[in-house]
Amino acid sequence: MTKAITLLYDGLQDGTVQEKITDAFADHELQLLPFEQTNNTFEHVPEEQTVVCYLSDEQLKEIITIASQKKWTLGFLPHPGMKEARQGYGISGNLTEAIENVKNTEKGIAADLLLCNGRPVFNAVVIGNSLSLMSGSIQKNGVLAGLEKLKGFITNLNLLEPRAFTITTENKAPIKTAALGIVAVLHGKSTILSRQIIKNSHINDGRLHGLVLAPKSIMQLSRFYLSSFFRLKQQQQLPSFIGHIKTRSICISSPAPMDFSQDGNLMSAREIELEVSENRLLIIPGRYLKDDHSASSRADTYKIAALPTGDSYLSEIVAKPLSFIYHASTEEFKDLFKILRENAKPTSSYLTLMVLATLLATLGLFSDSSPVIIGAMILAPLMAPIISLSMGVLRQERKLIIRSAKTIGLGILLAYLAAVFVTMIVPLQELNSEISGRIRPNLLDLGVAIVSGIAGAYAHAREEVAKTLAGVAIAVALVPPVAVSGIGLGWTDWHVFTGALLLFLTNLTGIVLAGSISFMALGFSPFRLARKGLLISLLVVALVSIPLGYGFMNMVQEQRIVRSLNNQEVGSILINRVSVLRGGTPLLLRVHLTSDKPIQMHHIDKVKAAISSKLDKEVELEVMVSIRR
């Protein structure tokens, strides 16, 4: 039995209907009905009829009410003016594909309808700035299209101004926030933006989605845009600065009239009511649309933790250009300063842990045990007052600087006393690998300190990553250099004492500088206030870098020596496992000599002469001999 279909079409597209559509439905009982706004002939179409629409978005809105009343099953063909409905209902842009989809679909599905102040919405309502670059068009249209949008974004940075919104829903207290814009859609397939970040959403789940676009800085926004060049489709997720509300209805209000776009039509209102009219229509879904009646898809969602809140903070950012870097809110500033002030105090637990960590580190150094030394790194509490010092230096907080410096100084004094005490009672005086590895610092150690300082400041400023502080403590290793320096003091070995002390000073100054810069980047101080502290920190680091640079050059030179000598042959003797024990003149080397014949002293003298000639430097050798059989 052939299916009866009424084709309701735009009279201005009569040529396309006759040439491309009528013949395609030749195997159906087809009634052609031109749409005329002044003559509502479509009201005579019987109930529960399949009505295929070849209409513009505006024409479709004219028939929604009657289609609902008469329980028509609506199919859609891609009319040139049907951009929003085609997107919202997942209709193919190819006319032939859309026709085949209608013909091959047995029955329609119940579909919700999104209403904005009582008017139907096919695709999206955009309030304020939609940040269209986030649409994912970089993957869709290629890198050139993405670069073009990026250029437009940079050109209009001065137009990015957060404005105040109050968002009211059925099940939550009103949310007062500030955002660049809000995008409302019926389901996750509506816009390219929503497809990227909304999961488990369907056209008949009785819920709408509000995406609140609230970046806290241009830097945060730029990071997301740049990452879009490399993000794969399966890696899409909700950006950290977007709030997501999924519910049945939302009321959005603002102190001043809001300019918004409803399916591309510009409007203005002080209050916007969005609600879902459930199962309002029967539709033949497009090939890109799926329906679902699962209970999970009907659950409300409130992902709003990232949205700015608090009257004092909102007053600082509303109606002002989006800041280049994020400025911490008053609440964040107070919470962090409270923590840093507490960390700057020389509490009994801090002092006890400093002594215990140093005792453990010193014993681990003497026993040449890396696991024991790592345990001491985790136990050591020295990182906390150093991070407090970096904030004090950044903001020129005199009390915080003095308190932190006193706490650091007292901790180091106790560490020296503990290390010297262990050194005096342990009858060992040998430079093992753990001790010798901490007496020749170079620029690489400064790099470790700087990265650790950044991580430490970030972990203090972000409560959710504070658990990584143990990893930071291990990376920068603050207590072991103090312990080695104390060992040098106990041995009265100036080289060990000064080398390890230089490593500790490297860690200290690197962390303070990097921590200060990180706190400034996170918005805890303006540059005008931070300038003096940063310049002083930078000067100190520059001074410390002089001997570090010399140490780095020596390390590079030693590596060249090792590479030039390893696997060299002098007669029947193979030289390998070369290491530099002491620089200068004479150069002290440890070498491993391998031969298939016994090695006599005159053979070793010959190797020494060959090495000295190759390096053009006087050398001394510490030799280990192996005989191949």
Side-chain angles (χ1 to χ4, degrees):
M1 182 178 177
T2 58
K3 182 166 63 174
I5 292 177
T6 297
L7 178 64
L8 188 58
Y9 67 95
D10 180 1
L12 298 177
Q13 298 292 326
D14 186 70
T16 302
V17 171
Q18 298 300 329
E19 295 172 10
K20 298 182 179 180
I21 299 178
T22 304
D23 290 343
F25 286 99
D27 54 346
H28 289 70
E29 185 182 328
L30 184 66
Q31 177 189 6
L32 298 179
L33 190 62
F35 175 88
E36 295 180 14
Q37 199 167 20
T38 57
N39 181 15
N40 294 332
T41 55
F42 50 79
E43 292 183 357
H44 302 294
V45 178
E47 293 187 1
E48 300 184 2
Q49 176 79 344
T50 298
V51 177
V52 178
C53 301
Y54 187 59
L55 302 171
S56 67
D57 289 324
E58 294 305 313
Q59 290 169 335
L60 277 174
K61 290 178 182 179
E62 296 293 328
I63 70 166
I64 286 297
T65 301
I66 192 169
S68 174
Q69 293 171 349
K70 292 196 171 190
K71 299 180 181 179
W72 290 345
T73 298
L74 294 178
F76 305 96
L77 302 180
H79 183 282
M82 194 186 75
K83 297 179 181 179
E84 304 298 330
R86 183 166 66 84
Q87 187 78 49
Y89 294 129
I91 309 300
S92 171
N94 183 288
L95 182 59
T96 302
E97 288 184 359
I99 291 173
E100 289 301 314
N101 183 71
V102 171
K103 291 170 62 177
N104 295 331
T105 303
E106 293 290 332
K107 61 179 182 178
I109 63 169
D112 300 333
L113 182 65
L114 177 61
L115 299 175
C116 175
N117 291 342
R119 295 185 297 270
V121 178
F122 293 133
N123 188 24
V125 175
V126 178
I127 305 168
N129 194 326
S130 68
L131 302 178
S132 60
L133 186 61
M134 292 170 51
S135 64
S137 62
I138 293 173
Q139 286 91 9
K140 182 179 177 64
N141 298 324
V143 174
L144 291 179
L147 290 175
E148 190 64 31
K149 283 199 171 186
L150 183 60
K151 178 182 177 182
F153 161 68
I154 295 172
T155 305
N156 296 291
L157 284 179
N158 60 322
L159 302 179
L160 299 179
E161 291 186 0
R163 65 173 298 162
F165 292 105
T166 300
I167 303 172
T168 306
T169 64
E170 293 179 345
N171 304 318
K172 278 274 188 179
I175 303 165
K176 292 185 177 181
T177 189
L180 294 182
I182 300 174
V183 177
V185 296
L186 180 61
H187 57 88
K189 300 296 183 182
S190 291
T191 67
I192 299 176
L193 168 60
S194 63
R195 283 205 301 272
Q196 302 292 341
I197 58 181
I198 297 177
K199 308 300 179 186
N200 195 27
S201 171
H202 305 277
I203 199 169
N204 48 15
D205 59 15
R207 297 295 184 270
L208 63 87
H209 300 263
L211 300 174
V212 187
L213 315 178
K216 295 180 179 179
S217 68
I218 291 173
M219 284 294 294
Q220 185 184 36
L221 201 55
S222 300
R223 283 197 302 270
F224 179 82
Y225 287 169
L226 291 174
S227 67
S228 296
F229 282 96
F230 310 103
R231 187 180 292 108
L232 300 176
K233 289 184 179 180
Q234 61 269 28
Q235 295 175 320
Q236 297 295 347
Q237 59 183 352
L238 188 73
S240 60
F241 54 83
I242 291 186
H244 177 206
I245 300 173
K246 175 184 176 183
T247 187
R248 191 185 306 275
S249 63
I250 296 175
C251 180
I252 302 169
S253 59
S254 184
M258 296 173 286
D259 294 328
F260 68 99
S261 168
Q262 179 179 328
D263 284 341
N265 297 317
L266 298 179
M267 301 180 183
S268 181
R270 284 184 178 273
E271 188 172 273
I272 299 173
E273 293 186 2
L274 299 161
E275 61 178 330
V276 176
S277 180
E278 292 192 58
N279 299 330
R280 178 72 173 272
L281 301 173
L282 286 170
I283 68 167
I284 297 174
R287 60 182 297 186
Y288 303 113
L289 190 64
K290 294 181 180 180
D291 67 315
D292 189 2
H293 295 278
S294 64
S296 61
S297 66
R298 301 179 70 85
D300 286 358
T301 298
Y302 292 91
K303 296 180 179 178
I304 56 176
L307 298 182
T309 55
D311 292 338
S312 58
Y313 181 49
L314 294 180
S315 64
E316 295 173 5
I317 64 174
V318 167
K320 298 175 183 176
L322 192 65
S323 61
F324 184 74
I325 60 173
Y326 169 61
H327 295 297
S329 66
T330 304
E331 289 77 12
E332 289 175 316
F333 192 83
K334 288 180 179 178
D335 292 343
L336 179 60
F337 252 70
K338 183 179 179 181
I339 294 171
L340 295 180
R341 286 194 179 99
E342 289 298 317
N343 289 346
K345 295 179 181 178
T347 61
S348 57
S349 59
Y350 165 80
L351 299 176
T352 301
L353 287 175
M354 276 300 301
V355 172
L356 293 175
T358 308
L359 291 173
L360 189 62
T362 308
L363 292 172
L365 289 164
F366 276 120
S367 60
D368 203 17
S369 173
S370 297
V372 175
I373 296 171
I374 291 173
M377 297 175 192
I378 297 173
L379 191 63
L382 198 55
M383 188 73 169
I386 294 177
I387 294 296
S388 297
L389 178 62
S390 68
M391 178 64 87
V393 169
L394 177 72
R395 294 188 58 85
Q396 296 296 290
E397 291 277 346
R398 184 179 178 84
K399 290 183 178 180
L400 187 59
I401 293 174
I402 293 174
R403 182 179 293 177
S404 301
K406 286 183 177 178
T407 300
I408 294 168
L410 185 56
I412 293 172
L413 177 61
L414 290 176
Y416 267 116
L417 292 175
V420 171
F421 170 74
V422 173
T423 303
M424 299 297 290
I425 63 175
V426 173
L428 296 173
Q429 195 165 350
E430 179 184 356
L431 279 177
N432 57 42
S433 60
E434 290 290 348
I435 295 175
S436 60
R438 290 175 171 85
I439 60 176
R440 302 175 66 191
N442 55 66
L443 290 175
L444 297 179
D445 296 297
L446 179 60
V448 171
I450 288 174
V451 174
S452 299
I454 295 171
Y458 185 75
H460 276 81
R462 297 288 184 264
E463 184 178 353
E464 66 272 16
V465 295
K467 60 186 178 182
T468 62
L469 281 175
V472 175
I474 293 173
V476 75
L478 288 162
V479 165
V482 179
V484 173
S485 185
I487 291 173
L489 198 61
W491 285 348
T492 63
D493 189 321
W494 179 250
H495 177 64
V496 173
F497 171 74
T498 56
L501 180 60
L502 178 60
L503 177 58
F504 173 75
L505 292 176
T506 299
N507 292 336
L508 176 64
T509 56
I511 292 172
V512 170
L513 175 62
S516 298
I517 294 174
S518 299
F519 280 134
M520 186 181 70
L522 291 170
F524 289 96
S525 175
F527 179 73
R528 56 179 175 77
L529 179 62
R531 182 169 49 196
K532 182 179 178 181
L534 290 177
L535 287 175
I536 293 174
S537 299
L538 191 60
L539 178 61
V540 173
V541 169
L543 292 175
V544 172
S545 297
I546 295 174
L548 295 179
Y550 178 73
F552 183 74
M553 291 174 61
N554 285 340
M555 185 184 74
V556 172
Q557 182 62 32
E558 290 171 5
Q559 289 295 319
R560 289 173 179 168
I561 291 172
V562 170
R563 285 198 304 271
S564 67
L565 295 180
N566 261 330
N567 300 317
Q568 296 295 311
E569 292 185 353
V570 178
S572 62
I573 298 174
L574 176 67
I575 303 172
N576 55 24
R577 302 183 199 173
V578 179
S579 60
V580 179
L581 299 181
R582 186 186 66 234
T585 303
L587 180 67
L588 178 60
L589 301 176
R590 177 180 291 157
V591 297
H592 184 255
L593 304 181
T594 305
S595 178
D596 54 2
K597 299 177 182 178
I599 298 177
Q600 307 296 331
M601 278 302 302
H602 68 276
H603 294 130
I604 295 177
D605 291 337
K606 187 177 180 181
V607 169
K608 178 180 177 182
I611 292 175
S612 180
S613 175
K614 184 176 183 64
L615 300 179
D616 194 22
K617 180 180 290 189
E618 184 182 350
V619 298
E620 293 181 355
L621 300 182
E622 184 177 297
V623 178
M624 180 179 294
V625 175
S626 296
I627 305 298
R628 287 193 298 261
R629 292 291 185 182

